Amino acid sequence: MHSSSRRGLDEPIVGENTDLQEQYPAPQTRLVPTGKTHALTPAHGKTQLATERRQSCRTWQASPIPLPLVSSFLQRLSAVHESFVAGGLERLNKPIPAAGSIHELEWYIAVGNVSGLDQGLFRYCGFEHTLDAVPDSADAAAEMLQNAGSSMGGTAEVPPALIILATRMPRIAWKYKGMAYRLTLLNAGIALDAMYNTATELDLGGCAIGTGDPRPFQRVTGLSWFEESPVVEFALGLPK
């Protein structure tokens, strides 16, 4: 099911659904109230303003992303504050929540134009707050960035960097039976929302990638679909 929503194995079914568009009218956006309507007072505060300023960015400055911004972005999202064992499994406390505090999502960054970093794929280690380079990954990173640019639409540009979240299903499936895949998707959604808000706070541009091709990642890491499978890609850069 997961591979069918990605490029690679079932490529013909990924993309715009012209079959449904030709047969049915577009579903309406606004639903008609079926009961009494109550007016609410809009809230205004720091968090509210951050979410209101959030927008997807698809064009980028030519300047490299400063490494300190990348460092702050990753620290605010995936730094390990504490590790502990519960139920025979190591759990983690991080800035964002995750089911069972398992945090099965591994954070990677494909680098094209970041100051102080060579082009390539890096894995973020939240324990030591380091970036660990994946050997011989420059070509794979370039392919990931090109795929991200083409996935964002005709006017989009290749992003300077791409965040990849890969799920380690064995970790969460060891704890949760039958619901592990659903939980990893919920965790991915939480992380994606947090990335948008963090990018906004740091004056970075970001855009979630609707589809993607996991093959370059798996080829360069040597990991199988079951060991680690990308579930989120997020373009990152300095907005124009």
Side-chain angles (χ1 to χ4, degrees):
M1 180 177 65
H2 179 70
S3 62
S4 295
S5 67
R6 313 278 288 167
R7 293 176 178 170
L9 295 182
D10 299 296
E11 190 121 3
I13 70 170
V14 176
E16 191 165 352
N17 197 343
T18 55
D19 293 337
L20 280 184
Q21 293 172 12
E22 292 171 357
Q23 296 181 54
Y24 302 100
Q28 64 181 15
T29 301
R30 184 169 181 171
L31 299 179
V32 178
T34 57
K36 184 178 179 181
T37 299
H38 297 266
L40 301 175
T41 303
H44 295 285
K46 183 177 180 180
T47 303
Q48 182 74 10
L49 291 176
T51 56
E52 287 177 349
R53 289 193 295 117
R54 183 221 59 80
Q55 58 181 343
S56 294
C57 177
R58 297 176 178 86
T59 57
W60 320 94
Q61 295 181 29
S63 303
I65 309 173
L67 184 55
L69 277 182
V70 172
S71 173
S72 182
F73 180 85
L74 293 170
Q75 181 179 9
R76 295 184 186 203
L77 292 163
S78 194
V80 175
H81 294 165
E82 178 189 15
S83 67
F84 59 97
V85 176
L89 185 67
E90 185 178 18
R91 318 296 178 101
L92 303 173
N93 283 334
K94 289 188 173 188
I96 61 176
S101 296
I102 293 172
H103 288 282
E104 76 288 351
L105 297 178
E106 290 290 334
W107 290 66
Y108 291 83
I109 180 169
V111 170
N113 192 15
V114 175
S115 64
L117 292 178
D118 294 330
Q119 182 171 295
L121 182 66
F122 297 80
R123 182 179 65 86
Y124 175 67
C125 178
F127 289 94
E128 286 85 24
H129 188 55
T130 57
L131 286 174
D132 301 328
V134 176
D136 303 318
S137 58
D139 290 343
E143 187 176 353
M144 294 178 201
L145 294 167
Q146 288 287 343
N147 288 340
S150 63
S151 296
M152 288 187 289
T155 60
E157 299 172 351
V158 175
L162 183 72
I163 304 294
I164 301 108
L165 303 188
T167 180
R168 295 174 61 194
M169 283 300 296
R171 260 186 64 78
I172 195 164
W174 190 88
K175 170 64 177 175
Y176 295 109
K177 182 178 180 180
M179 57 193 290
Y181 181 61
R182 178 177 184 271
L183 291 177
T184 208
L185 293 184
L186 291 173
N187 292 339
I190 291 168
L192 189 58
D193 179 67
M195 281 194 281
Y196 264 117
N197 290 330
T198 301
T200 301
E201 291 174 355
L202 295 174
D203 293 323
L204 287 166
C207 184
I209 307 300
T211 185
D213 189 343
R215 290 174 295 183
F217 173 88
Q218 290 166 330
R219 185 173 64 246
V220 75
T221 61
L223 297 167
S224 69
W225 293 70
F226 182 67
E227 289 173 304
E228 287 190 30
S229 185
V231 291
V232 169
E233 287 93 9
F234 185 80
L236 190 70
L238 298 175
K240 280 187 176 177

